[in-house]
Amino acid sequence: MEHTPSSVDQLIASGALDQARQVIREVTSQRVHAVGGHREWALLAEKVGLLGLAEREFNLALRDDPKDVEALRHLVDLAEEKGALERAINLLVRLFELLPEPSTALHLYELYLEIGAEPKAEALARQCKELGIPLPRKVELEEALPSVEPVIPPEADLVRFLSMFGGREDVFARQWFNPAKGEGGYAPVRQPLTPREIRAHLLGDVTVGVYPIRLDGTCLFAALDLDLQRSALEEARKSQSAARLIKEELQKVTASVRQVLEEQGLRPIVEDSGYKGRHFWFPLAAPEPAGTLVALGKAVLRLIQPLLGPHMTCEWFPKASKPGTKGLGNLIKLPLGLHRRTGRRSCFLDSEGKAIDRPFEFLRSHLLLGRQEIIAFLDRQRLEPPPEAESPAEAPPGEDESVAPQPLPPPPPWTAQDFEDAPVFKQLLEGCHVLRALVRQAIEERRLSYQQVIIIAHTFGYLPNGVVAANYLFDLVGHVPPHARLKSPLRGNPISCVKIRARIPEVTSRVPCNCIFPDVQDLYPTPLLHIRNANPSAAAPSALEEDLEHLVRKILVLQTRISTWKADLESLRRVVIARLKQEPQPYLTFADVDVRLEERDGVDSLVITPRERAS
């Protein structure tokens, strides 16, 4: 029987993949020197996962027709799958010469930046401009903003200030303003920010801004910027009564936002920004991944949105989950500096909205925001209804006030326990240490980088219940962009092990990632080969379909975990008590907490007291 591309396609459609692979191998080996038809066989080979063979056939298609655009596009994808970025770039250059489209230009531009070839990227951008091909441009944060005496602290406080509000290590920015033209902005300074520059900032000699995301993708602080709209400022300039009302609105909103945030345990430092609004600073106890802070920001903005007046806008820093690959990203002016446009100095505000006279004494006593407090806040926000949701209307007097019992809420479609209960996921995570590490990181640390999100989507997306499993993790993390979430099961080829190692070396370098699949001939390595012989129908049912007993058992498992955490907590307490007994005095004082050992009824007790803020 002579096999044709259409007959092999029918085999694939019927599920006879092994037979289809065998036919493709036999036919293509016999027609290497034939002219024509190679692209069709390449597409079939790609469809069944024979990527090495597909690459050969696409190259043969280009041999026959050097202008075969479709073959070039597939070869670019295959080169990226193998991590051969230089080859992918060379192919894209050929493709762009044949078909100068914006999507091809953008793809080539991003790959240039990924390998550090910025001059080539800039040359491509100039070429696109000459050809009239649009490339996305970085949008700078607009700083169209239209006294307190400076306080210069000792060197130790300057260092503390830098550790609380520092940003990217290799660059900061200086604010400038041209009164003649009414123009202003920030100029990047390509050097580290030092205590000496901080001192000049506090004196008013310069005004410094920082880019919050550091080179390792973490931040030392988060910030909420609450501003009056430009239209409100213009209205205030025309009328004293309007100015008074707008000022009262700003003070009222500031007090309301502060109260709500403090009730949630977030403890902001509130600052008059020196121009048209307020900054709410959240210095952190330890550097946090920018992605975690983006999730925190979304929850904070959702919480305070109903409190904003008609003349107010707000934004959050950091705005992204990682440093910019080309630009530096958005910046924010450091506290306690002089605003170059207004000449006013920013200052910290107390709970009554008055300036704090001793800001560095205040900073020394301020409790820093810890990771557990961030996660606890995010968990509460996930469980609580949106603040704008209205409560059910009360029944009018005189009417029957009996209320029908409300239906029980449906169980969640996926839980953390399902990764251990669903046979397919259990087998996959037992085989792939990288995916297991990503799942654990999302559940326990509530963070995933953008590349990690892509890897989860392009593995779980091919599994039964994979859509709800992936989106469950994305909901925990909170900062996953909408386009990365899964809406339906994926088709085609899952992500390869080679590409996983290229995308997240920070994970694959610390967990085993060298799986070998000797029984799978010609198939490119991918984590899903760990479940190649698994029965998809054996996947755990969704929680909506589970019986009551299974749901109860899940609760028991989670309760056991809580008991384990409590045991760990008590173990740590005993260790600290033993260490304190060895100290000359049974107490210690740290920057933001007091610890002491007390004896109550003959039993040693550990007392940990966060230090109160200075009034």
Side-chain angles (χ1 to χ4, degrees):
M1 174 183 176
E2 183 179 353
H3 292 285
T4 63
S6 59
S7 66
V8 175
D9 204 25
Q10 291 176 1
L11 286 175
I12 296 172
S14 67
L17 297 183
D18 288 337
Q19 184 180 352
R21 292 187 187 105
Q22 185 60 33
V23 171
I24 293 171
R25 292 188 188 102
E26 293 175 356
V27 172
T28 54
S29 66
Q30 297 171 5
R31 59 185 320 277
V32 172
H33 301 290
V35 177
H38 291 287
R39 191 212 302 161
E40 289 75 13
W41 287 103
L43 292 171
L44 291 171
E46 190 178 51
K47 186 181 290 188
V48 297
L50 300 176
L51 298 191
L53 197 154
E55 184 176 17
R56 186 190 74 187
E57 290 296 305
F58 280 128
N59 278 315
L60 291 173
L62 278 182
R63 177 201 65 186
D64 297 343
D65 180 7
K67 296 183 179 181
D68 191 331
V69 170
E70 186 175 359
L72 273 171
R73 284 181 174 142
H74 283 270
L75 284 171
V76 169
D77 292 339
L78 291 171
E80 285 193 88
E81 283 286 351
K82 296 193 300 183
L85 296 187
E86 293 284 358
R87 172 162 170 74
I89 287 172
N90 292 335
L91 291 165
L92 276 170
V93 169
R94 290 176 59 185
L95 181 59
F96 186 64
E97 291 172 352
L98 293 172
L99 199 65
E101 292 182 339
S103 59
T104 305
L106 178 59
H107 193 173
L108 180 57
Y109 185 82
E110 290 175 340
L111 284 186
Y112 276 144
L113 294 178
E114 188 168 345
I115 66 170
E118 293 191 4
K120 291 186 178 181
E122 294 296 338
L124 176 63
R126 290 193 294 271
Q127 182 183 0
C128 288
K129 184 176 182 181
E130 293 171 0
L131 295 174
I133 299 174
L135 269 180
R137 299 181 62 84
K138 182 175 77 70
V139 179
E140 296 286 353
L141 175 64
E142 183 183 5
E143 290 290 345
L145 309 176
S147 186
V148 177
E149 293 300 315
V151 177
I152 305 305
E155 190 74 16
D157 281 332
L158 290 174
V159 173
R160 178 181 291 106
F161 184 92
L162 186 55
S163 71
M164 295 175 74
F165 301 107
R168 180 162 165 159
E169 301 91 334
D170 61 341
V171 63
F172 63 94
R174 291 195 185 107
Q175 190 184 32
W176 60 272
F177 179 67
N178 185 336
K181 296 183 178 180
E183 298 175 348
Y186 284 87
V189 180
R190 300 278 181 170
Q191 63 187 44
L193 181 61
T194 65
R196 180 179 178 180
E197 196 78 22
I198 296 295
R199 184 184 294 275
H201 169 81
L202 296 170
L203 282 170
D205 297 337
V206 297
T207 300
V208 171
V210 294
Y211 302 91
I213 305 178
R214 304 194 302 168
L215 295 174
D216 64 353
T218 65
C219 302
L220 299 175
F221 68 87
L224 174 69
D225 183 6
L226 189 68
D227 277 336
L228 289 169
Q229 296 176 359
R230 186 181 302 178
S231 58
L233 293 175
E234 293 173 353
E235 185 179 339
R237 294 190 187 104
K238 298 176 182 177
S239 164
Q240 286 189 349
S241 59
R244 185 178 64 255
L245 291 174
I246 290 173
K247 182 179 180 181
E248 290 174 355
E249 178 186 332
L250 176 61
Q251 293 173 338
K252 180 180 178 181
V253 171
T254 300
S256 299
V257 171
R258 181 203 285 264
Q259 179 181 351
V260 167
L261 294 175
E262 288 182 344
E263 288 172 352
Q264 293 291 334
L266 296 183
R267 300 186 302 273
I269 297 174
V270 182
E271 180 198 28
D272 180 331
S273 67
Y275 179 33
K276 61 174 184 176
R278 302 287 186 262
H279 288 167
F280 295 75
W281 297 92
F282 304 89
L284 303 171
E288 288 290 338
T292 301
L293 300 178
V294 169
L296 174 65
K298 288 183 178 180
V300 167
L301 293 176
R302 170 179 173 271
L303 183 67
I304 70 167
Q305 195 65 42
L307 306 176
L308 300 184
H311 301 104
M312 308 297 297
T313 63
C314 63
E315 56 184 338
W316 180 265
F317 297 86
K319 294 174 177 287
S321 301
K322 58 182 179 180
T325 56
K326 175 174 164 46
L328 297 170
N330 299 124
L331 63 83
I332 185 169
K333 181 170 67 71
L334 283 178
L336 305 180
L338 199 69
H339 201 291
R340 311 320 291 185
R341 180 183 292 270
T342 64
R344 283 181 51 211
R345 182 174 297 279
S346 60
C347 59
F348 295 146
L349 303 176
D350 63 17
S351 57
E352 297 180 359
K354 297 179 180 178
I356 293 176
D357 294 331
R358 299 180 178 178
F360 286 91
E361 183 177 321
F362 168 73
L363 287 179
R364 286 194 294 271
S365 64
H366 182 76
L367 291 180
L368 304 179
L369 187 62
R371 180 169 186 78
Q372 292 305 318
E373 294 165 303
I374 294 174
I375 290 178
F377 171 74
L378 292 175
D379 282 342
R380 286 195 301 273
Q381 293 304 303
R382 287 183 62 239
L383 295 175
E384 293 173 1
E388 63 272 15
E390 298 181 359
S391 57
E394 297 181 1
E399 294 188 9
D400 184 5
E401 295 184 358
S402 61
V403 179
Q406 296 295 315
L408 292 174
W414 195 266
T415 68
Q417 186 60 30
D418 286 311
F419 289 107
E420 300 178 16
D421 289 348
V424 169
F425 277 90
K426 182 178 181 180
Q427 185 175 342
L428 173 62
L429 298 184
E430 286 177 349
C432 181
H433 297 275
V434 175
L435 288 178
R436 186 168 64 204
L438 296 185
V439 169
R440 189 171 298 168
Q441 178 180 303
I443 293 174
E444 297 178 1
E445 302 180 31
R446 310 299 169 89
R447 64 181 178 88
L448 289 172
S449 69
Y450 179 74
Q451 295 296 342
Q452 292 167 353
V453 165
I454 295 300
I455 288 166
I456 287 175
H458 285 268
T459 49
F460 288 7
Y462 297 89
L463 300 177
N465 287 329
V467 172
V468 293
N471 288 337
Y472 166 78
L473 296 178
F474 299 161
D475 287 338
L476 288 181
V477 173
H479 64 272
V480 175
H483 72 266
R485 294 176 59 85
L486 292 178
K487 299 178 178 61
S488 59
L490 300 181
R491 296 180 178 180
N493 295 311
I495 193 167
S496 66
C497 298
V498 172
K499 202 159 191 176
I500 289 175
R501 285 191 285 271
R503 284 176 178 263
I504 54 169
E506 73 282 359
V507 177
T508 58
S509 62
R510 60 181 171 84
V511 301
C513 185
N514 54 355
C515 300
I516 300 174
F517 307 97
D519 58 328
V520 186
Q521 184 182 3
D522 290 337
L523 291 181
Y524 73 104
T526 171
L528 295 194
L529 291 179
H530 286 293
I531 57 169
R532 186 163 177 261
N533 298 319
N535 179 10
S537 63
S542 70
L544 290 170
E545 303 166 340
E546 293 175 21
D547 59 24
L548 183 59
E549 178 182 355
H550 191 70
L551 294 174
V552 171
R553 292 191 183 279
K554 282 188 179 181
I555 292 176
L556 290 175
V557 171
L558 295 174
Q559 288 177 340
T560 302
R561 289 182 176 179
I562 292 174
S563 300
T564 302
W565 294 334
K566 287 182 177 178
D568 291 342
L569 177 62
E570 289 306 312
S571 177
L572 285 173
R573 286 182 184 276
R574 288 194 295 271
V575 170
V576 173
I577 288 172
R579 293 282 297 275
L580 279 176
K581 286 183 175 180
Q582 298 173 3
E583 296 289 330
Q585 298 292 335
Y587 60 84
L588 292 173
T589 299
F590 299 104
D592 55 355
V593 67
D594 295 323
V595 184
R596 69 180 185 276
L597 187 62
E598 292 184 357
E599 183 176 336
R600 299 176 181 175
D601 299 326
V603 178
D604 292 325
S605 177
L606 184 66
V607 179
I608 301 176
T609 308
R611 191 153 324 144
E612 295 181 358
R613 263 189 334 184
S615 58

